[in-house]
């Protein structure tokens, strides 16, 4: 007679951490499970990815001092090809896509008819009529609706491409040690294909940390081979995987905005007034009125000509060392004028940093005497601190090494 084991006991006997039912593992999941000591997972676009592996602080320092692997396979990837591909992309996003040359990558936002941002992401250009759009959220329905009248083919490639963010000062030296010949010629925002393990590895000099780094794109069947090759080549250069929490610290230092954190997707808000325009998020440089029509152009032109933007997005340095998570911002400690969207105590810069959405004219015409209300938990005793803040330029962290071509061999 077979002896049965209770589900709970079976779970305790299991040597591997478990993920919630219904979540898909990425192609790198077998290696992540081996490394994820905290068993702290989160959901991203239907996939399970680690929040952390062992220590958020140590993972953060690996970004700034070594090389790190962060799984971006869940990122939504859409291939857009056809005779009208360039014309369609120029209609879809506010920036001028004609200026993006083949072999280049560009940051982009896209808006609804009210001029409110739906999402942001990157555009990869492979040829005159061949693009890939990458985004955090699912955009297939919006893309298909927007493509009416255009001779384009739109393919969802999300599950067909495994991808890693490979970030940190030693990343170039590791790729070189792997035998990726020619990677030294990549300038920031370049992308190029290289032979690897009988297939092609696409390397783009892009990332979300504001540091030297790359993103690596490969077919799922070769994902584990890529992971193992990177770990072997980086054994002497402090290589380690990182989770979402450490990456978030680095992206705030870099001054990058994050959907669902610094702004809400216009199609997801319950109240339409909660949408934000590019001008309200400091993304004026993304809007090119001279290129012709694009979705949201009329609303954005009206906003610009009428100087009717409601908000101003700013970077702040704040006194003290307590991060101002979700804090309110005041003028002269009395008038509430906005709130903090992202905050971090920067271990590298030894500074208290934040990004905030302020009600105009604050942040534009009025920039002095700003204060942030921070509540500090001291062993279940909450102290209220009013900390002085000043507006500063972003990025907060901007090392020369991220721009050097060829990069330094740390």
């Amino acid at each position: 007679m077979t002896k049965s084991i209770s589900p709970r006991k079976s779970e305790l006997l299991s040597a591997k951490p478990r993920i919630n039912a219904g979540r898909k593992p990425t192609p790198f999941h077998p290696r992540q499970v081996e490394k994820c000591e905290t068993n702290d997972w989160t959901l991203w676009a239907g996939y399970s990815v680690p929040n952390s592996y062992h220590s958020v602080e140590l993972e953060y320092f690996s970004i700034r001092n070594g090389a790190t692997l962060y799984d971006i396979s869940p990122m939504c990837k859409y291939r857009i090809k056809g005779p009208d591909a360039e014309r369609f992309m120029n209609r879809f996003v506010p920036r001028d896509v004609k200026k993006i040359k083949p072999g280049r990558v560009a940051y982009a936002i896209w808006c609804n008819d009210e001029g409110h941002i739906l999402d942001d992401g990157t555009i990869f250009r492979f040829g005159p009529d061949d693009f890939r759009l990458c985004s955090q959220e699912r955009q297939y329905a919006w893309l298909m609706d927007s493509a009416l009248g255009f001779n384009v083919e739109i393919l969802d490639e999300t599950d067909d491409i495994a991808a890693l963010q490979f970030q940190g000062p030693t990343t170039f030296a590791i790729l070189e040690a792997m035998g990726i010949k020619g990677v030294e010629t990549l300038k920031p925002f370049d992308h190029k294909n290289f032979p690897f393990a009988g297939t092609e590895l696409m390397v783009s000099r892009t990332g979300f940390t504001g540091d030297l780094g790359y993103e690596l794109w490969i077919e799922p069947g070769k994902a584990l081979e890529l992971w193992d090759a990177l770990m072997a080549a980086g054994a002497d250069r402090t290589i380690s995987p990182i989770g979402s929490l450490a990456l978030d610290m680095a992206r705030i230092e870099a001054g990058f905005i994050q959907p669902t954190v610094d702004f809400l997707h216009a199609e997801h808000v319950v109240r339409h007034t909660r949408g934000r325009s590019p001008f309200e998020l400091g993304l004026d440089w993304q809007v090119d009125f001279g290129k012709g029509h694009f979705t949201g152009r009329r609303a954005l032109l009206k906003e610009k000509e009428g100087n009717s933007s409601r908000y101003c997005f700013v970077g702040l340095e704040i006194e003290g060392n307590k991060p101002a998570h979700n804090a309110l911002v005041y003028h002269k400690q009395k008038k509430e004028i906005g709130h903090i969207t992202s905050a971090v105590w920067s271990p590298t810069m030894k500074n208290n940093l934040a990004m905030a959405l302020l009600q105009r004219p604050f942040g534009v015409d009025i920039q002095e005497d700003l204060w942030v209300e921070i509540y500090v938990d001291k062993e279940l005793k909450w102290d209220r601190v009013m900390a002085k803040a000043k507006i500063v330029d972003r990025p907060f962290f901007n090392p020369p090494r991220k721009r050097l071509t060829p990069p330094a061999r740390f």
Side-chain angles (χ1 to χ4, degrees), residues 70-291:
Y70 178 75
D71 188 357
I72 56 171
S73 300
M75 183 179 292
C76 301
K77 315 169 195 77
Y78 302 102
R79 196 65 172 262
I80 301 164
K81 299 189 292 185
D84 290 342
E86 182 183 80
R87 198 162 64 90
F88 165 72
M89 292 300 292
N90 243 355
R91 171 67 181 268
F92 190 75
V93 302
R95 73 176 301 162
D96 191 353
V97 173
K98 291 181 180 178
K99 296 179 180 179
I100 306 172
K101 304 299 182 185
R104 295 285 290 169
V105 188
Y107 173 74
I109 57 170
W110 47 101
C111 303
N112 62 10
D113 288 332
E114 292 181 295
H116 292 166
I117 298 177
L118 289 163
D119 204 349
D120 70 347
T122 49
I123 297 173
F124 289 71
R125 188 161 196 172
F126 301 107
D129 302 310
D130 190 0
F131 299 85
R132 177 181 294 148
L133 177 69
C134 296
S135 63
Q136 176 175 296
E137 299 291 322
R138 302 288 184 188
Q139 296 293 336
Y140 187 73
W142 187 262
L143 282 163
M144 294 300 292
D145 287 346
S146 301
L148 290 174
F150 291 94
N151 185 6
V152 293
E153 180 184 21
I154 299 174
L155 300 174
D156 187 341
E157 298 182 322
T158 303
D159 295 338
D160 301 327
I161 301 169
L164 290 171
Q165 268 202 35
F166 186 45
Q167 303 285 297
T170 65
T171 50
F172 166 64
I174 292 172
L175 289 177
E176 199 174 47
M178 277 177 59
I180 310 296
K181 299 184 183 301
V183 72
E184 71 278 0
T185 64
L186 290 181
K187 298 176 182 178
F189 294 99
D190 277 352
H191 70 81
K192 188 176 180 181
N193 288 351
F194 298 91
F196 174 81
T199 187
E200 284 194 331
L201 169 69
M202 188 177 81
V203 180
S204 58
R205 194 165 167 185
T206 50
F208 207 46
T209 65
D211 213 324
L212 173 63
Y214 304 84
E215 289 175 327
L216 312 177
W217 314 79
I218 199 164
E219 62 184 74
K222 297 291 184 178
L224 297 183
E225 198 166 347
L226 173 62
W227 179 289
D228 293 343
L230 289 165
M231 294 296 286
D236 295 331
R237 284 190 162 88
T238 318
I239 187 171
S240 63
I242 62 165
S244 301
L245 298 177
L247 178 67
D248 195 57
M249 294 175 66
R251 74 95 187 165
I252 296 172
E253 289 181 335
F256 294 142
I257 63 172
Q258 175 76 38
T260 72
V261 177
D262 300 299
F263 71 94
L264 298 177
H265 302 270
E267 292 299 292
H268 294 178
V269 297
V270 176
R271 302 166 183 83
H272 76 279
T273 55
R274 300 295 170 85
R276 299 290 180 258
S277 78
F279 302 126
E280 294 172 336
L281 289 177
L283 297 171
D284 314 44
W285 59 278
Q286 279 281 308
V287 182
D288 188 340
F289 290 115
K291 69 165 187 169

